[in-house]
Amino acid sequence: MLIPHDTRIALDTVVDLMNTAAEGERGDVLVDLAGLGAFVRQHDISDVGELGDADLAAVREVRSRFAAVFTAPDSRVAAALINQLVAAAGTTPQLTDHDGYDWHVHYFAPGASVADHLAADCGMALAFIVVNGEQERLRRCEAPDCGRAFVDLSRNRSRRYCDSRTCGNRLHVAAYRARRKEAAG
């Protein structure tokens, strides 16, 4: 599946946004404006004014709506959720080549809030996945103590863990040790 650069960046952003939520022993990263500001800077989200408490609440709501897309039982439900997100953001597609990036499309209206920015751009990236019949690529890590979101971009759609070096390796080592212990009696 060929994914345009700007869509890939938006997919990475939506995954990172979802992974700011509390999961297991991991606390919520977006508990205050400092956390939201750090997220905005880390992802180079452009055209964002001064952030306030309303922005924090709205981004947390968008985050939960993205999580619903990842757990949607089928493409029809996922499409309806994405349509609601994108429509609420008041999309205004426009070509831009800012900050050293080549031409790409922004779907948010100029001066949009950070929540609308995320809902529009990331929502359209998720729409790209659904339109291409690839919704099953929107996944949660199968490690019992993880649950982080990721987009499986492997050729054969076989990725099971958010990171094979941490979650995947940890589970493989645990299974190996269990087999050795069982063999030793």
Side-chain angles (χ1 to χ4, degrees), residues 62-82:
V62 166
R63 178 181 68 184
S64 69
R65 295 176 80 186
F66 283 143
V69 172
F70 270 66
T71 59
D74 58 46
S75 59
R76 187 164 305 283
V77 173
L81 293 167
I82 293 167

Side-chain angles (χ1 to χ4, degrees), residues 7 34 36 38 42 92 145 149 166:
T7 301
L36 179 58
Q42 177 186 357
T92 306
D145 58 342
T166 55

Side-chain angles (χ1 to χ4, degrees), residues 141-185:
C141 183
E142 291 182 17
D145 58 342
C146 184
R148 292 174 61 92
F150 68 95
V151 178
D152 178 6
L153 296 177
S154 65
R155 285 183 187 229
N156 61 0
R157 298 177 190 92
S158 62
R159 191 169 153 200
R160 298 173 50 207
Y161 308 109
C162 64
D163 185 348
S164 61
R165 290 174 300 221
T166 55
C167 290
N169 194 38
R170 196 166 22 99
L171 287 176
H172 288 109
V173 168
Y176 171 77
R177 288 181 179 160
R179 285 191 306 272
R180 288 199 52 191
K181 184 176 179 180
E182 185 177 308

Side-chain angles (χ1 to χ4, degrees), residues 13 19 25 35 44 48-49 66 74-75 84 86 116 124 139 143 146 157 162 166 168:
T13 301
N19 290 334
E25 295 179 18
D44 291 325
V48 174
F66 283 143
D74 58 46
S75 59
Q84 291 169 358
V86 171
D116 285 346
M124 291 305 297
R139 301 213 174 134
C146 184
R157 298 177 190 92
C162 64
T166 55

Side-chain angles (χ1 to χ4, degrees), residues 10-155:
L11 287 172
D12 290 344
T13 301
V14 73
V15 164
D16 289 349
L17 177 62
M18 288 176 53
N19 290 334
T20 64
E23 183 74 39
E25 295 179 18
R26 191 178 67 237
D28 192 330
V29 174
L30 299 181
V31 294
D32 56 21
L33 291 176
L36 179 58
F39 182 85
V40 166
R41 284 186 303 280
Q42 177 186 357
H43 291 88
D44 291 325
I45 300 174
S46 61
D47 197 25
V48 174
E50 187 173 332
L51 299 171
D53 290 333
D55 292 308
L56 179 62
V59 168
R60 289 171 57 102
E61 173 61 24
V62 166
R63 178 181 68 184
S64 69
R65 295 176 80 186
F66 283 143
V69 172
F70 270 66
T71 59
D74 58 46
S75 59
R76 187 164 305 283
V77 173
L81 293 167
I82 293 167
N83 285 340
Q84 291 169 358
L85 267 164
V86 171
T91 58
T92 306
Q94 56 187 329
L95 287 168
T96 182
D97 67 342
H98 63 88
D99 298 330
Y101 293 104
D102 203 0
W103 288 106
H104 60 283
V105 179
H106 279 186
Y107 294 96
F108 59 92
S113 70
V114 66
D116 285 346
H117 178 127
L118 291 167
D121 275 0
C122 296
M124 291 305 297
L126 291 173
F128 176 85
I129 295 294
V130 172
V131 164
N132 283 290
E134 302 285 356
Q135 183 192 348
E136 71 275 2
R137 290 183 182 272
L138 305 177
R139 301 213 174 134
R140 291 288 189 160
C141 183
E142 291 182 17
D145 58 342
C146 184
R148 292 174 61 92
F150 68 95
V151 178
D152 178 6
L153 296 177
S154 65
R155 285 183 187 229

